[in-house]
Amino acid sequence: MRPWSIGDLEFEFRRRRQSGDRGKLISRNNLASAYRAVGDLARAIPLYEATLADSERVLGPDHPTTQIVRSNFDRPRTT
């Protein structure tokens, strides 16, 4: 299986954008991580912020997905 490109991740995010499920949060987190990986923090950080806020609201602050998003959000500001 080939790795996902940023274009693939953007498509997946748009596809899930209107849904209210955990998959939407994960796809947005994955897209933010891809942007961070290529050094595009201007796109990554706002996605992490929105994903963290939504994850805390929808899943709760102690949910494993929320903890992953929080960890990823902290990472670009420390690199």
Side-chain angles (χ1 to χ4, degrees):
M1 185 171 142
R2 71 178 177 81
W4 287 53
S5 70
I6 288 179
D8 293 336
L9 293 167
E10 288 172 335
F11 175 80
E12 181 68 11
F13 171 65
R14 283 192 305 273
R15 187 177 73 81
R16 291 185 177 265
R17 189 175 209 155
Q18 299 306 315
S19 68
D21 65 359
R22 187 173 145 258
K24 175 177 98 171
L25 299 170
I26 292 169
S27 70
R28 193 177 346 166
N29 181 67
N30 290 343
L31 180 57
S33 294
Y35 286 142
R36 183 192 71 231
V38 297
D40 192 348
L41 297 182
R43 285 185 171 174
I45 291 174
L47 282 176
Y48 280 134
E49 291 171 336
T51 305
L52 181 57
D54 289 347
S55 187
E56 288 176 338
R57 180 178 47 80
V58 172
L59 303 174
D62 298 324
H63 191 278
T65 298
T66 303
Q67 293 174 353
I68 290 168
V69 174
R70 187 177 297 111
S71 173
N72 289 340
F73 176 63
D74 288 341
R75 196 170 296 150
R77 296 180 295 158
T78 60
T79 58

